[in-house]
Amino acid sequence: MVASRPAVLYNRRMKKRNLLGEDLARMLKGGVIMDVVNAKQAVIAEKAGACAVMALERVPSDIRAQGGVARMSDPRLIKEIQRAVSIPVMAKVRIGHEAEARILEALEIDFIDESEVLTPADPFDHIDKHTFKIPFVCGATSLWQALRRIDEGAAMIRTKGEAGTGNVIEAVRHMKVILREIKELRSLSPAKLKSIATEQRVSLALLKDVREKQRLPVVTFVAGGIATPADAALLMNLGAEGVFVGSGIFKSPHPEKTARAIVEATAHFKDAKKLAELSTGLGGAMPGLEIETLQTRMQER
Amino acid sequence: MTVGVLALQGDFVEHLSILESMGIQTLEVRTPEDLSKVHRLIIPGGESTAISLLLESSGLKRAIVERVKAGTLPILGTCAGVILLAKHVTGKNAPSTLRLMDITVDRNAYGSQLQSFDEKIRIKGSSKPLNVSFIRAPRITATGKHVQVLATYGSSAVFVRQGSLFAATFHAEVKGISAVHALFLDA
């Protein structure tokens, strides 16, 4: 979410932040993070120009179709993927599952996604991310969720969208909601700002920083339902700083070609002629789902 | 003078911010046409494999090499930018590079993100240490005889110069530090 450009884009003085993790997130900007379920897919993703891979056992559309409890991946799979690629490796843990996160940190991956795509483990709390050296990315559907996650120590935010649907509407919704809520902060009086911080359980210092800078203090990607180069370009134009693609690549008819096209579209999101070329002859996208037909809305987790 | 920042992937906005805070005219470079409008170029941090592919497909790779060979394009590369400027890259899945600087670079030499660190480094000729970030940083393992070492960390060169080409394995731009950019622009 690029707004004004002061010399230091983010407030680095605020306490208890994983600044090294936030810096790694900056290096991912303008890039595509791809879900992969094995080392072979990870290599395809790297060769297509992914800026990182997300290691998981089943892509969201399969989790959705097969049901059952979705958990952290087998460490063996993660190690195989780490050995296969040179780009950052991310992996998912269940919301609130600190033990899974400790395991991933011990494996020395690069980033943990505390993700609603897996079955939540804690009905009350997210992980206290301050106690980790490894950085976390967390999903959000609103400014308030984003700020609570940042208060807990998240080094990066992504919109939740609705994973595994190939339907971009929820990613657009969450991006627009967050942007609108940031804009609306400008008109609030100091007293109102204080009361809303209390009501939403977010720190006032953080809220003041967002109001002043008119952006979240950490890098913000989009996720959930992105399936085509045009989807990626749509969200980059809205102000996303990069894109997560889950099922959209390896559930498409030609994963290599689709992956490459989404990488190019994310870099050249303003170039309509280029986007037309990139969208040509992909053989279709993954099969999509209407949000109304879903049994499980992962975004509500 | 217009300074271009390669804007294909990575932390190019941070570099643009530093330049703009110095009152420099900037341009985001995504195509050879963009490149033809700039007098200097910065290659930011990011993923070198991703940037390498995008350099190739955009036609920028050839255009950059031509400008450098003609002596009309000073470049500053940071982190991934160092890898992309290097003649030799070691480590797995090394990307295809511009092969412009006589240096050997080991990718991700320090390890995963858990080995990323902040460190104070001092540029030669300056008394003031800079607190910079090494994020999954590459390590310069060898330098040719025309390469000048401008800063070191431990036993490794972390900031080097070869003629009008500069390469720093660390990030000063994420800290809002303009000293590295100032040195590049003065040269």
Side-chain angles (χ1 to χ4, degrees), chain B residues 77-88:
Chain B
T78 62
C79 196
V82 179
I83 298 169
L84 292 163
L85 286 169
K87 272 217 170 93
H88 307 286

Side-chain angles (χ1 to χ4, degrees), chain A residues 1-6 8-11 26 29 143 147 150 157 178-179 182-183 185 206-221 239-241, chain B residues 13-14:
Chain A
M1 293 192 281
V2 180
S4 59
R5 281 190 190 138
V8 180
L9 284 173
Y10 309 74
N11 184 347
R26 294 164 184 224
K29 285 194 292 182
L143 172 63
L147 294 183
I150 295 165
I157 291 292
I178 291 170
L179 290 170
I182 290 173
K183 208 176 239 178
L185 293 178
L206 186 57
L207 197 56
K208 281 181 173 166
D209 180 64
V210 174
R211 175 161 81 161
E212 187 200 319
K213 303 260 171 55
Q214 284 293 297
R215 58 155 296 140
L216 290 178
V218 299
V219 167
T220 307
F221 271 42
E241 293 182 296
Chain B
V13 175
E14 278 72 6

Side-chain angles (χ1 to χ4, degrees), chain B residues 52 54-56 58-66 96-98:
Chain B
S52 169
L54 292 162
L55 274 173
E56 193 98 47
S58 61
L60 273 167
K61 187 176 181 181
R62 178 186 289 196
I64 291 170
V65 171
E66 273 172 15
S96 147
T97 74
L98 298 163

Side-chain angles (χ1 to χ4, degrees), chain A:
Chain A
M1 293 192 281
V2 180
S4 59
R5 281 190 190 138
V8 180
L9 284 173
Y10 309 74
N11 184 347
R12 302 182 71 96
R13 285 173 310 227
M14 291 171 69
K15 56 177 184 176
K16 294 209 285 187
R17 294 260 294 274
N18 187 334
L19 294 176
L20 288 169
E22 292 180 22
D23 286 344
L24 175 57
R26 294 164 184 224
M27 302 312 147
L28 303 174
K29 285 194 292 182
V32 182
I33 300 169
M34 301 183 191
D35 277 4
V36 297
V37 300
N38 55 45
K40 199 178 147 203
Q41 288 188 353
V43 170
I44 291 172
E46 182 175 57
K47 283 192 176 150
C51 68
V53 289
M54 177 73 69
L56 72 177
E57 259 166 15
R58 296 182 284 169
V59 293
S61 66
D62 285 338
I63 293 173
R64 207 175 267 295
Q66 295 159 6
V69 173
R71 309 181 179 90
M72 177 193 80
S73 299
D74 186 329
R76 184 168 67 186
L77 171 85
I78 292 166
K79 284 183 193 162
E80 282 167 8
I81 289 169
Q82 282 175 305
R83 273 197 294 271
V85 298
S86 64
I87 56 179
V89 174
M90 302 183 164
K92 290 183 192 290
V93 298
R94 287 179 266 176
I95 289 172
H97 207 312
E98 183 174 328
E100 285 187 345
R102 291 285 169 210
I103 291 168
L104 291 184
E105 187 174 48
L107 294 173
E108 303 205 350
I109 63 165
D110 296 290
F111 235 106
I112 292 176
D113 184 2
E114 186 179 19
S115 177
E116 70 284 358
V117 167
L118 304 186
T119 309
D122 187 325
F124 307 111
D125 298 310
H126 280 65
I127 295 169
D128 177 8
K129 293 165 273 285
H130 295 300
T131 63
F132 289 79
K133 190 188 176 196
I134 193 163
F136 283 76
V137 54
C138 289
T141 61
S142 68
L143 172 63
W144 313 108
Q145 281 190 1
L147 294 183
R148 285 196 286 272
R149 300 296 84 80
I150 295 165
D151 270 336
E152 291 158 4
M156 181 177 179
I157 291 292
R158 55 170 176 76
T159 61
K160 285 183 178 171
E162 192 57 50
T165 61
N167 189 338
V168 81
I169 186 170
E170 298 303 297
V172 171
R173 184 193 311 281
H174 301 154
M175 194 70 209
K176 285 198 163 174
V177 164
I178 291 170
L179 290 170
R180 192 186 66 223
E181 287 169 339
I182 290 173
K183 208 176 239 178
E184 284 170 358
L185 293 178
R186 279 198 289 217
S187 61
L188 299 181
S189 67
K192 180 71 187 158
L193 205 67
K194 207 171 165 182
S195 74
I196 208 163
T198 311
E199 182 192 317
Q200 295 288 349
R201 296 168 283 128
V202 300
S203 77
L204 184 59
L206 186 57
L207 197 56
K208 281 181 173 166
D209 180 64
V210 174
R211 175 161 81 161
E212 187 200 319
K213 303 260 171 55
Q214 284 293 297
R215 58 155 296 140
L216 290 178
V218 299
V219 167
T220 307
F221 271 42
V222 285
I226 292 126
T228 67
D231 287 349
L234 172 72
L235 286 153
M236 289 300 288
N237 271 303
L238 275 182
E241 293 182 296
V243 178
F244 284 82
V245 185
S247 322
I249 288 167
F250 290 99
K251 290 291 172 188
S252 73
H254 302 291
E256 285 93 344
K257 214 170 161 187
T258 303
R260 194 63 217 275
I262 293 178
V263 167
E264 292 280 346
T266 303
H268 299 285
F269 63 92
K270 286 182 236 169
D271 187 339
K273 271 193 183 150
K274 191 138 198 167
L275 294 172
E277 279 168 39
L278 296 167
S279 305
T280 304
L282 293 177
M286 67 178 282
L289 294 168
E290 285 285 356
I291 305 299
E292 288 70 28
T293 64
L294 302 179
Q295 276 190 330
T296 305
R297 294 200 186 193
M298 291 172 175
Q299 62 178 279
E300 287 164 6
R301 290 169 163 175

Side-chain angles (χ1 to χ4, degrees), chain B residues 67-105:
Chain B
R67 286 277 304 270
V68 171
K69 296 260 151 89
T72 63
L73 189 68
I75 301 179
L76 165 65
T78 62
C79 196
V82 179
I83 298 169
L84 292 163
L85 286 169
K87 272 217 170 93
H88 307 286
V89 182
T90 56
K92 72 183 166 197
N93 308 357
S96 147
T97 74
L98 298 163
R99 299 176 59 81
L100 293 169
M101 288 182 83
D102 193 9
I103 54 176
T104 303
V105 176

Side-chain angles (χ1 to χ4, degrees), chain B residues 105-125:
Chain B
V105 176
D106 186 9
R107 284 184 83 199
N108 308 137
Y110 298 94
S112 79
Q113 174 61 13
L114 288 173
Q115 282 79 44
S116 290
F117 57 98
D118 282 349
E119 190 57 60
K120 285 194 172 67
I121 62 127
R122 227 177 54 232
I123 297 175
K124 271 185 190 159

Side-chain angles (χ1 to χ4, degrees), chain A residues 5 7, chain B residues 1-3 15-26 178 181-182 185:
Chain A
R5 281 190 190 138
Chain B
M1 180 179 66
T2 302
V3 177
H15 283 284
L16 290 163
S17 300
I18 297 279
L19 294 169
E20 280 160 24
S21 75
M22 298 167 82
I24 307 287
Q25 195 178 330
T26 61
S178 59
H181 296 73
L185 296 177

